[in-house]
């Protein structure tokens, strides 16, 4: 007689109590299941779009409980019990657009509570299906070496399935984790979980980030990336009274305060010309490495490094691309702020979503992303470091020249003017040397790479601003050092600040102060590409105010 295969109870030890090394990852698992349910609701016409999807998380510290609910497709009454109880049996494998793959993630919450409950209802059915897992009983059976029950028998013995009346218009799936174990206080820490969700959840970006950076940057690429961006999963996620959690990317880099001038979009393609992934990274001054904590407030920096995502759910953590496995230098990833979205259907995460399953496509993706990192991105921040040092040198020399010719102290005597002339001459030489070193970076072959070119554009504008600021501080009738022979120093136009201050008599210090605040706010949030237009608008506003 042929042997009948059995699945021992110990597999439940792995699925319920050993699958994830970090407790908070259960939120990622349930968010993924909820997102899939919302996607299926859209396909079935139950929801109009993903924008109508909502995942609600309620943490109750006093009751040591967590409730996670979605308004997705739900589970029909006739298949609910088998869906709840069956292990590694899921139709998702046939649907590449869904994030779930293995049919085992629903049980992971059991490892962190004493009672796990699932409740669900499908639209058009007036039935709610509910199953309760007695986790204490499951633990007791697994710890009993004399008990030789199989995995299915354990689940049948430790669960209660029931059905009750429900509103047939409702459609939902609800997870209840009751009596969270005291060993896992982080699961009930609302602030900690909110920060975690901001990083890993399939949510949208902040409006200012979308409107000021994503949309303009996509438009500059001829809308090539617009379909990829639009197809990215985005659902509304709320946590207690925090009703719409968003990714924490802003207009400046947390931890360094570097301004983001634009986004560099890119694709990663296979040798077969298939698109494996797309992504973006922020173009900044790359002034320094992004720290783990913001030195200004000691808060964790939630956007450091390139982040890997599938179906807009993060794979691994912020350190995924750290070390020398992807960049040649271990520190490289800490200079960047961006995301990589895998879209090829044969690139899937490992069971615990800490890495990619080793398919041929996944291995090729890893090789191609290494090539991209080391071909372009490493040159971006290394070139930025070189230019930054020379620009600081240039700015210091320019400051010496500017301060000298803006001094109201009068024409110095021959001895003093000789020293002054030498000081200016030395500063001019230093300025010229720094300019030459900067010019070399602009002329280098790597300057033609898209990201490097964009970054150099940032520093070019900074250099021009240093020149403008220096000229603006030179007196209209500059003091000419004795014997210098210079009588052609530039006669600058009044600065915007000077023009505003000139209107104090007309509008009062309070009115001028308010105008300064408005202009400063505009400058802070204006992308580099728009500064010339905004400058013209501010000039027009000042002219109108002067002529009123």
């Amino acid at each position: 007689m042929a042997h009948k295969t059995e699945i021992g109870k110990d597999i439940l030890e792995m699925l319920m109590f050993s699958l994830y090394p970090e407790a908070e990852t259960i939120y990622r698992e349930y968010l993924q299941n909820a997102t899939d349910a919302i996607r299926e609701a859209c396909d079935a016409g139950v929801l109009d779009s993903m924008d109508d999807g909502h995942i609600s998380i309620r943490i109750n510290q006093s009751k040591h409980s967590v409730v996670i609910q979605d308004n997705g497709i739900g589970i029909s009454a006739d298949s609910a019990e088998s869906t709840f109880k069956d292990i590694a049996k899921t139709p998702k494998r046939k649907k590449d657009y869904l994030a779930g793959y293995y049919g085992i993630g629903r049980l992971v919450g059991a490892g962190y509570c004493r009672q796990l409950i699932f409740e669900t209802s499908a639209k058009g059915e007036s039935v709610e299906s509910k199953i309760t897992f007695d986790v204490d009983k499951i633990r007791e059976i697994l710890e009993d070496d004399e008990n030789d029950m199989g995995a299915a028998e354990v689940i049948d013995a430790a669960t209660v399935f029931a059905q009750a009346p429900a509103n047939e218009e409702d459609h939902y799936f609800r997870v209840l984790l009751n009596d969270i174990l005291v060993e896992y206080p982080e699961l009930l820490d609302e602030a900690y979980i909110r920060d975690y969700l901001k990083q890993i959840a399939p949510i949208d970006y902040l409006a200012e980030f979308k409107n000021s950076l994503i949309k303009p940057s996509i438009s500059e690429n001829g809308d090539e990336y617009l379909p990829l961006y639009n197809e990215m999963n985005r659902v509304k996620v709320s946590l207690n009274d925090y009703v719409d959690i968003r990714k924490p990317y802003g207009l400046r880099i947390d931890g360094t305060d570097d301004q983001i001038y634009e986004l560099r979009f890119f694709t990663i393609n296979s040798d077969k010309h298939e698109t494996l992934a797309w992504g973006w990274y922020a173009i900044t001054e790359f002034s320094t490495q992004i720290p783990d904590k913001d030195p200004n407030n000691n808060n964790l920096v939630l956007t450091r490094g390139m982040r890997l995502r599938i179906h807009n759910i993060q794979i691994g953590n912020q350190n995924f691309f750290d070390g020398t496995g992807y960049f040649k230098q271990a520190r490289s990833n800490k200079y960047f702020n961006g995301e990589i979205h895998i879209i090829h259907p044969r690139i899937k995460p490992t069971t615990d979503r800490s890495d990619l399953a080793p398919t041929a496509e996944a291995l090729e993706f890893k090789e191609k992303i290494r090539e991209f990192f080391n071909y372009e991105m490493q040159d971006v921040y290394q070139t930025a470091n070189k230019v930054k040092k020379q620009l600081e040198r240039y700015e210091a020399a320019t400051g010496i020249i500017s301060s000298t010719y803006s001094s109201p102290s009068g024409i110095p005597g021959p001895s003093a003017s000789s020293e002054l002339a030498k000081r200016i001459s030395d500063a001019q030489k230093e300025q010229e040397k720094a300019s030459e070193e900067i010019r070399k970076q602009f002329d280098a072959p790597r300057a033609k790479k898209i990201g490097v070119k964009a970054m150099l554009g940032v520093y070019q504008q900074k250099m021009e601003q240093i020149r403008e600021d220096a000229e603006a501080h030179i007196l209209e009738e500059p003091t000419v050092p004795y014997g210098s022979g210079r009588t052609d120093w530039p006669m600058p136009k009044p600065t915007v600040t000077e023009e505003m201050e000139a209107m104090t008599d007309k509008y009062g210090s309070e009115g001028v102060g308010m105008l300064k605040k408005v202009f400063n706010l505009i400058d802070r949030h204006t992308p580099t590409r728009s500064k010339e237009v905004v400058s013209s608008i501010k000039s027009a506003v000042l002219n109108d105010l002067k002529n009123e």
Side-chain angles (χ1 to χ4, degrees), residues 251-252 257 259 519-527 531:
L251 302 184
R252 307 186 81 87
D257 202 39
Q259 181 180 341
F519 276 19
N520 286 336
L521 186 63
I522 292 172
D523 288 340
R524 184 178 176 84
H525 295 285
T526 298
K531 286 189 179 295

Side-chain angles (χ1 to χ4, degrees), residues 149-403:
M149 294 172 67
E153 292 175 296
V154 175
I155 289 179
D156 287 339
T159 58
V160 175
F161 178 76
Q163 292 183 320
N167 187 331
E168 65 178 22
E169 289 301 310
D170 291 342
H171 47 95
Y172 58 87
F173 191 95
R174 186 182 301 124
V175 180
L176 299 91
L177 295 93
N178 293 330
D179 291 328
I180 299 289
L181 301 178
V182 295
E183 299 96 308
Y184 305 105
E186 63 269 34
L187 295 180
L188 299 172
D189 186 332
E190 184 178 340
Y192 176 77
I193 296 303
R194 183 172 64 244
D195 284 349
Y196 177 72
L197 296 173
K198 286 181 178 180
Q199 297 174 80
I200 62 94
I203 51 181
D204 206 350
Y205 302 95
L206 293 167
E208 64 174 7
F209 187 79
K210 288 196 298 183
N211 295 333
S212 298
L213 289 168
I214 288 182
K215 293 179 180 178
S217 297
I218 286 179
S219 295
E220 287 187 358
N221 286 277
D223 293 337
E224 173 188 351
Y225 296 93
L226 188 58
L228 297 171
Y229 169 74
N230 287 339
E231 290 169 9
M232 182 176 65
N233 276 343
R234 288 186 291 270
V235 296
K236 180 180 178 181
V237 175
S238 61
L239 172 61
N240 289 359
D241 296 327
Y242 205 102
V243 297
D244 190 7
I245 296 174
R246 299 291 184 105
K247 294 179 183 180
Y249 298 103
L251 302 184
R252 307 186 81 87
I253 303 293
D254 290 339
T256 68
D257 202 39
D258 282 353
Q259 181 180 341
I260 300 177
Y261 293 88
E262 62 180 281
L263 304 181
R264 157 75 163 113
F265 281 81
F266 59 89
T267 56
I268 302 298
N269 300 313
S270 72
D271 290 335
K272 298 177 182 178
H273 306 293
E274 295 177 311
T275 301
L276 303 175
W278 67 276
W280 60 266
Y281 65 87
I283 298 297
T284 72
E285 296 168 26
F286 298 95
S287 63
T288 187
Q289 293 181 36
I290 303 172
D292 292 326
K293 288 188 175 182
D294 192 325
N296 297 314
N297 51 33
N298 208 36
N299 291 337
L300 287 174
V301 175
L302 304 180
T303 57
R304 183 186 69 76
M306 298 297 293
R307 307 296 182 99
L308 183 64
R309 307 179 83 88
I310 298 180
H311 298 290
N312 199 22
I313 299 172
Q314 184 169 290
I315 302 300
N317 57 28
Q318 71 272 21
N319 301 317
F320 190 92
F321 293 112
D322 281 5
T324 56
Y326 292 94
F327 286 95
K328 290 179 181 178
Q329 295 185 334
R331 70 180 187 275
S332 299
N333 191 41
K334 295 181 180 181
Y335 281 91
F336 291 97
N337 184 253
E339 296 181 336
I340 299 170
H341 294 263
I342 289 176
I343 60 174
H344 196 285
R346 282 191 50 78
I347 303 180
K348 304 177 186 296
T350 53
T351 304
D352 64 357
R353 287 177 170 74
S354 64
D355 203 345
L356 300 179
T359 63
E361 289 80 4
L363 296 175
E364 185 175 17
F365 163 75
K366 288 187 174 184
E367 182 57 35
K368 294 297 182 183
I369 200 66
R370 286 189 196 98
E371 291 176 6
F372 180 74
F373 283 169
N374 293 298
Y375 167 76
E376 177 178 313
M377 292 178 65
Q378 188 156 282
D379 276 347
V380 170
Y381 84 86
Q382 289 182 344
T383 304
N385 285 340
K386 294 175 182 177
V387 174
K388 179 172 71 72
K389 291 177 182 178
Q390 295 303 322
L391 190 63
E392 290 171 352
R393 180 183 178 190
Y394 176 89
E395 186 172 20
T398 302
I400 292 172
I401 297 169
S402 173
S403 62

Side-chain angles (χ1 to χ4, degrees), residues 490-511:
M491 304 286 285
K493 297 179 180 179
T495 64
V496 171
T497 300
E498 290 169 341
E499 288 190 84
M500 286 191 285
E501 289 176 348
M503 293 188 287
T504 301
D505 291 341
K506 187 173 185 179
Y507 295 103
S509 58
E510 186 173 336

